[in-house]
Structure formats: C-alpha cells, structure tokens
C-alpha cells in the first residue's frame, strides 16, 4: 500500500532530498550501501507545508504514521507502547539544506512506566531503564511542551509528571499521543525565531519546510561497551587527511552535541570498542568515496555493535575547505570546477584575516580550551546573545562567551567576532555552528570566563587560548599559502582581470566604498549603481563585493585578491 505523506527509508529507490530532507536521504543512501543503519521512515516536507498551510495535521497523515510504525515494529521485532520488548524511537527534523543546530530532537519516545519495567526486565538493568525514561521526559518537556525541567532519577516517574502538570503542561497520556506531539513540534520548529534568523543569514528559502525522521532507537548508554560519537572522514579544522572525531562512552547523541559533557578523542573508541572502531573507519572511507566529499558521520555503538545514524558533507573551517579542495583534485576525486564550487569568498577572507603575531604566543593566557575554528579576534566579552547583537550593531567588537551555546544563541554568534564556551568539545553546538559561520571559536575552557564579561580579550581559535587585552596580529599572504595560491591559479583570467592592485592606474578614480559605508551602509547598492570601479577596505567583506556586483560594478581595486575573485567567480558560475 502506497503512502502520500511518508517515505519508508528501506534502501529501495532513491528518495528526493527536497522531499525527505538531508537526514533521511543519508539514511536511505547508507541503507542502500548495506551499511548498518537502524530502520527509519520520513514524514515528508510536503506534509510539513500542508501542516503550515492548514494549521493542523494533513488528512490521512496520522493513519499513515500508524502503518509506518507497524513496519518499524516488524523490522525491529518490537512493539510500540505495549509488550515485553518495547520499540523506542527518535524523532528528528531534517530540512533539504543542512541547518546545523537549528532543529530539536526527541530521543527514547515510546517509554512509559510499563515500558520502563519491560526494559529493565529485558536488560536486567533497572538503572539503565530509569535513565532512559528520565532522558525522554527531560527532552520531551523542553522541546515539545516548552517547559524545561530537570528530574531526579530517584523520584518516581509519577512525580515527574506531576511537576509538569503543575506548570500547566501535562505529559500526553499515551505514547502514541506523545509521538503526535513530537511530530507537531518538529513542524512548528521550522518557523521559530532562531530558524528564521539562520535561514535569513544563510539565504535559505522559507518555503522548503522540514521533514520528520522517525528512527528506531539504539542505546549508546546501555553498558560499558556502548557509546556515541561523531566522526569526520578528514580533519574539519586543519584539512589533514586522517579521520577525526570524538567518542563519549555510555552516552546518547544529545550528550555530545549539547556540550554538557566533554567527549574523548576518537582513539579512545579503538580501546573500548575495537571492532566497531574498525567498521566505522571502513564506513567512513566508503561514504567519502561515494559522496566525493568529506563526511560528518553520527554513530552509536550498542554493546559493541556499530550503527550509523547520519552522514553528510562536513562543515569545515576555512583552512580545511581550501586543503580539501586542493587535495581532492590531486587525488582525482573531483575536478577543478567542483573544487572551486566548494570554496567561498568568506572562507578565503577568513584565512586572510589577522592572526596573532609570533611573539603573542608567549603572552599569559586567561584560559585554555580546545580550538574549534581557527583565527584570532579581539573584543569585549559579552555573556548574553541579545546584548552581543545590540553592541555589534553599534560597531563594537564583541566576543560572545557562554557556558554552552544552544540554537537560541545563534543570533549572538552571528554578531560576534569570536565565540568562547566554558564547556563542550569540538563537535558541540558552538564548535559546529562557529565553523559554519567562519568565526574563531574556543570551547571547553572551564569555568571563569562568563564571570569576566565586560573585559577585553583576544582569542586564538586554533590554539584554543583566551588572552587578556588586545594582542598584535599579522596578516597572512595568499601567494605564500600553498592552498590559497593553487586556488588563485585555478581561477580563469576573465575573473582575475577584474581585480586590480590598489595602487594600479585608475584607483584614485574608483568609487570609495569605505566612505559610502561610513555615511549610509543601507543604501550601498543604490549609491554604487552605475559605478565602473570601486575600492576600499570594505572589499574584504564578500557581501559588500556581492552588492557591488549586483549593482553592475566591473572592476575592484582590492588586496588580497582571492576573496573578491571567488565572489566574482561564484556570480559568473551561477549567472
């Protein structure tokens, strides 16, 4: 029997990313390759858009969910909401275009008091069953009921429900009602303030909608031979070819991305689960080869068995992006046009931003953490994202400092010149989003920096250091960098001829963008219209270059050349 609103991710056929979202597409693709993936199905973006238009679940969707859940039960040999072997599921969002950190996840849905007893009897571990129940209640209350609570495992689950009811947000009575609530929450998350801000910042259309992926749970928190982690097929910070990642034993995926726990290096997994580690590296190599791009792979290990949850093209720091592009051309994996399509003007600009001067390395530091995105930045520490956005709008340099970041902090991260968190590792929310934004970032510094809000600091996102005051910096050279130089050589002469040295003839007659921006930044496009050539330090900002291109500007007096040239190349490629 066919489905109107649902796609079973069984490895048969090739579902459209636009229909099922990137997360579900990767599950289907991995399943088709024969890789170990927990059974799952996707509620399509078409259903999300119908929900947005009608304000309620589209007709027939709930019945299709019941049929798809019956399919999951058969695949897993478990039952949802009853029986001795309970089926628990995760409910995740997944848009066609990756929006890291934007959408929420509910884990362990399907557990209730009787389900906890069944899980304890099946595993012989009452503590594990109670912990699973606790995790579900905390996630569901925060994400679906919008009433975050922290419950005590020693209390009876009835006490947890009484607390929620006391806030006027009672837990739905049955696991099936809870599933419907989670689906609605994912649909509603598409139009949250933070999601709209992220789409606007990244030029993502508002009419795509998000799919809902419902997947059988695998328990990384089951025992000492279980865990969860994230693997990059190459290092997303430096571009090094060795696999890079983190592993958190006896944990679930949200423990890693939340930043509340500091994971172990991936090598620790080799010691704790050697067979799963070997299979993970094999899967990583195959997925990179199939996708011809560096992969970001989420995985879980349950009692020594590896399960892959998602694989996608990895977000990467600017330095890594340049090296990935060059190395993959040299390895014969991609051609030069593909390589040029994977590097951006923003990444080149970030690589050519000031770095700490050599003698600054010996300066005493206030805190040391883990470098999550390279680069150096100075500014005043601000511990509130709304305040960071306000001060940045006034032209003040800001370093956002938080205990950990969450999707609610993205607007402050966009506004800041750099980001620091006291907790978390290199795959935490702060680390992943900072790399997407190209902001220098230091994570896991330990307590103390939030309390220093108001002080001026300099951060080194490569070394993971935070210094007091503003330190001297140096500006890298695009011609001396092996990867930047190669990419510059690849660009066609029709592009390079439009970028002139600031001292070249005609510079003085070019329109000075710095002066325009100082007087009226909002009207830049109108005031540039009709100009043949422009100049100014503002051309270091690729968005300014794009505004000038859209206004018809032909020549740019700028140094360095690469960020401007890449912006021109991208415009010509998509024209």
């Amino acid at each position: 029997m066919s489905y109107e609103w649902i796609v079973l991710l069984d490895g048969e056929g090739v579902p459209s990313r636009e229909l099922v979202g990137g997360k579900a597409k990767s599950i289907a693709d991995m399943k088709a390759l024969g890789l170990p993936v927990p059974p799952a199905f996707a509620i399509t973006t078409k259903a999300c858009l119908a929900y947005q238009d009608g304000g309620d679940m589209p007709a027939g969707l709930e019945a299709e969910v019941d049929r798809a859940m019956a399919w999951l039960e058969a695949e897993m040999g478990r039952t949802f909401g009853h029986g001795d072997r309970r089926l628990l599921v995760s409910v995740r969002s997944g848009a066609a275009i990756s929006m890291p950190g934007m959408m929420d996840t509910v884990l362990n849905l399907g557990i209730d008091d009787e389900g906890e007893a069944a899980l304890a009897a099946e595993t012989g571990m009452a503590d594990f069953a109670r912990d699973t129940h606790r995790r579900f209640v905390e996630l569901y209350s925060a994400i679906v009921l919008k009433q975050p609570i922290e419950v005590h495992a020693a209390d009876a689950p009835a006490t947890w429900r009484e607390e929620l009811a006391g806030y006027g947000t009672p837990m739905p009575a049955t696991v099936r009602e809870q599933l419907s609530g989670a689906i609605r929450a994912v649909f509603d998350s598409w139009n949250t303030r933070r999601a709209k801000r992220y789409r606007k910042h990244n030029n993502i259309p508002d009419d795509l909608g998000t799919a809902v992926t419902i997947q059988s749970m695998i328990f990384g928190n089951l025992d000492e031979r279980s865990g969860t982690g994230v693997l990059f097929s190459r290092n997303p910070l430096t571009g090094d070819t060795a696999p890079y990642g983190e592993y958190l034993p006896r944990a679930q995926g949200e423990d890693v991305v939340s930043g509340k726990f500091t994971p172990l290096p991936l090598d620790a997994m080799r010691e704790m689960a050697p067979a799963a580690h070997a299979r993970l590296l094999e899967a990583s190599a195959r997925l990179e080869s199939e996708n011809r791009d560096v992969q970001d792979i989420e995985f879980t290990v349950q009692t020594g068995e590896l399960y892959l949850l998602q694989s996608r093209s990895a977000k990467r720091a600017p330095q890594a992006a340049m090296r990935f592009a060059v190395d993959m051309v040299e390895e014969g994996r991609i051609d030069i046009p593909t390589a040029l399509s994977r590097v951006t003007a923003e990444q080149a600009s970030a690589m050519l931003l000031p770095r700490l001067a050599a003698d600054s390395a010996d300066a005493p530091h206030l805190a040391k953490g883990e470098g999550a995105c390279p680069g150096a930045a100075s500014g005043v520490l601000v511990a509130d994202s709304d305040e960071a956005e306000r001060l940045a709008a006034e032209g003040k340099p800001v370093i956002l400092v938080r205990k950990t970041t969450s999707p609610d902090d993205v607007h402050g991260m966009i506004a800041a010149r750099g980001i620091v968190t006291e907790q978390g590792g290199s795959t935490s929310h702060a680390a992943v989003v900072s790399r997407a934004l190209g902001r220098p970032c230091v994570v896991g510094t330990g307590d103390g920096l939030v309390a220093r809000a108001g002080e001026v600091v300099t951060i080194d996102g490569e070394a993971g250091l935070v210094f007091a005051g503003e330190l001297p910096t140096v500006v890298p050279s695009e011609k001396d960098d092996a990867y930047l130089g190669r990419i510059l050589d690849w660009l066609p002469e029709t592009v390079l001829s439009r970028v002139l040295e600031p001292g070249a003839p005609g510079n003085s007659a070019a329109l000075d963008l710095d002066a325009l921006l100082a007087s009226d930044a909002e009207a830049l496009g109108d005031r540039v219209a009709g100009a043949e050539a422009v100049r100014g330090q503002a051309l270091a900002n690729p968005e300014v270059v794009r505004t000038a291109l859209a206004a018809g500007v032909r020549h740019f007096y700028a140094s360095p050349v690469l960020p401007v040239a890449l912006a021109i190349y991208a415009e010509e490629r998509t024209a």
Side-chain angles (χ1 to χ4, degrees):
M1 188 180 296
S2 63
Y3 291 87
E4 180 181 2
W5 305 111
I6 284 175
V7 173
L8 302 182
L9 306 176
D10 54 8
E12 301 294 328
V14 183
S16 158
R17 176 182 295 269
E18 289 70 28
L19 185 64
V20 302
K23 193 182 305 291
K25 177 71 163 61
S26 79
I27 290 173
D29 290 346
M30 290 190 296
K31 194 81 172 176
L33 292 173
L35 296 172
V37 185
F41 65 88
I43 303 174
T44 63
T45 55
K46 182 175 73 171
C48 176
L49 295 175
Y51 174 88
Q52 305 292 348
D53 289 342
D56 202 355
M57 295 286 206
L61 174 57
E62 292 284 15
E64 289 193 8
V65 169
D66 288 335
R67 286 169 48 208
M69 289 298 293
W71 174 77
L72 277 188
E73 289 178 325
E75 289 288 303
M76 293 295 291
R78 295 180 171 275
T79 50
F80 183 67
H82 62 91
D84 295 333
R85 286 172 48 82
R86 294 296 181 99
L87 172 67
L88 306 188
V89 297
S90 63
V91 182
R92 306 174 188 266
S93 66
I97 299 174
S98 178
M99 296 173 60
M102 285 300 100
M103 303 300 176
D104 295 313
T105 298
V106 176
L107 302 179
N108 305 314
L109 196 153
I111 195 166
D112 53 15
D113 292 4
E114 292 76 18
E116 179 185 327
L119 193 58
E122 179 185 353
T123 63
M125 292 184 281
D127 288 348
F128 160 71
R130 175 56 58 88
D131 182 60
T132 301
H133 199 171
R134 174 193 64 80
R135 287 168 180 267
F136 163 69
V137 169
E138 289 187 343
L139 280 173
Y140 197 91
S141 64
I143 293 167
V144 181
L145 303 180
K146 309 303 180 187
Q147 182 59 62
I149 63 170
E150 289 189 14
V151 302
H152 300 289
D155 293 337
T159 303
W160 307 341
R161 294 191 293 272
E162 288 171 5
E163 181 178 352
L164 281 169
Y167 290 117
T169 53
M171 178 71 71
T174 68
V175 296
R176 182 61 182 84
E177 290 171 324
Q178 292 161 11
L179 178 59
S180 291
I183 294 168
R184 290 173 182 273
V186 172
F187 286 162
D188 290 338
S189 72
W190 180 252
N191 282 326
T192 60
R193 178 171 174 258
R194 72 187 190 220
K196 289 179 178 178
R197 280 176 178 264
Y198 187 92
R199 291 199 296 271
K200 181 178 179 181
H201 179 75
N202 290 278
N203 298 314
I204 298 173
D206 286 328
D207 60 357
L208 298 180
T210 182
V212 184
T213 301
I214 298 176
Q215 188 169 34
S216 306
M217 281 297 305
I218 301 297
F219 298 104
N221 59 328
L222 180 59
D223 54 31
E224 296 301 326
R225 297 178 59 213
S226 303
T228 188
V230 177
L231 169 73
F232 295 90
S233 58
R234 305 188 189 203
N235 192 310
L237 305 179
T238 66
D240 185 77
T241 56
Y244 172 90
E246 295 178 328
Y247 183 69
L248 192 58
R250 203 157 193 171
Q252 293 189 323
E254 289 302 295
D255 296 327
V256 177
V257 299
S258 71
K260 293 181 179 179
F261 301 91
T262 301
L264 301 174
L266 189 66
D267 283 346
M269 182 184 173
R270 182 186 289 120
E271 302 297 324
M272 298 177 177
H277 180 269
R279 287 194 293 272
L280 177 63
L281 295 186
E282 292 171 1
S284 170
R286 185 171 183 190
L287 286 166
E288 181 180 282
S289 178
E290 291 285 341
N291 292 285
R292 298 191 308 140
D293 198 6
V294 178
Q295 295 297 290
D296 170 358
I297 302 167
E298 297 176 15
F299 65 91
T300 292
V301 178
Q302 179 177 307
T303 315
E305 289 294 320
L306 173 71
Y307 297 88
L308 305 179
L309 305 180
Q310 180 177 1
S311 182
R312 58 190 173 189
S313 292
K315 299 294 181 183
R316 56 207 68 182
Q319 177 181 345
M322 301 298 166
R323 181 168 176 180
F324 290 163
V326 172
D327 284 352
M328 286 197 156
V329 168
E330 292 181 346
E331 293 165 12
R333 295 176 184 265
I334 59 176
D335 57 21
I336 286 175
T338 300
L340 288 174
S341 73
R342 290 182 180 174
V343 294
T344 67
E346 282 81 3
Q347 290 166 337
S349 180
M351 282 196 69
L352 295 166
L353 288 174
R355 300 284 191 267
L356 290 181
D359 56 1
S360 297
D362 297 328
H365 56 266
L366 294 175
K368 178 173 175 58
E370 185 174 357
C373 190
S378 297
V380 63
L381 284 174
V382 177
D384 178 82
S385 291
D386 291 338
E387 180 73 358
E389 186 177 48
R390 185 184 67 80
L391 291 175
E394 296 176 0
K396 297 177 181 177
V398 167
I399 303 295
L400 180 67
V401 59
R402 301 282 287 159
K403 181 72 70 178
T404 64
T405 64
S406 75
D408 291 330
D409 292 306
V410 168
H411 62 293
M413 299 170 77
I414 291 171
R417 294 192 178 184
I419 300 149
V420 180
T421 63
E422 294 180 338
Q423 298 177 352
S426 63
T427 54
S428 66
H429 177 272
V432 171
V433 176
S434 71
R435 287 194 287 270
L437 296 174
R439 301 290 192 274
C441 180
V442 179
V443 296
T445 63
D447 294 341
L449 285 179
V450 170
R452 303 183 79 116
E455 298 181 19
V456 174
V457 301
T458 299
I459 69 170
D460 184 337
E462 185 169 4
L465 297 174
V466 181
F467 302 90
E470 184 174 350
L471 299 182
T473 57
V474 294
V475 179
S477 165
E478 60 192 346
K479 295 180 181 178
D480 293 339
D481 184 285
Y483 300 105
L484 295 180
R486 178 68 70 86
I487 290 167
L488 193 60
D489 290 342
W490 285 343
L491 286 166
E493 183 58 30
T494 55
V495 168
L496 294 176
S497 64
R498 296 178 63 181
V499 189
L500 308 170
E501 290 291 334
N507 176 69
S508 59
L511 188 62
D512 184 352
L513 296 184
D514 295 341
L516 289 181
L517 287 168
S519 61
D520 189 1
E522 295 296 327
L524 180 64
D526 292 336
R527 299 184 66 182
V528 169
E532 172 67 19
V534 294
R535 60 184 171 90
Q537 292 295 320
L539 292 174
N541 182 344
E543 196 54 46
V544 171
V545 177
R546 293 190 188 98
T547 299
L549 287 168
V553 172
R554 290 294 304 166
H555 292 99
F556 300 80
Y557 289 84
S559 181
V561 170
L562 186 57
V564 180
L566 282 172
I568 297 170
Y569 177 82
E571 183 213 28
E572 292 188 349
R573 182 169 56 88
T574 57

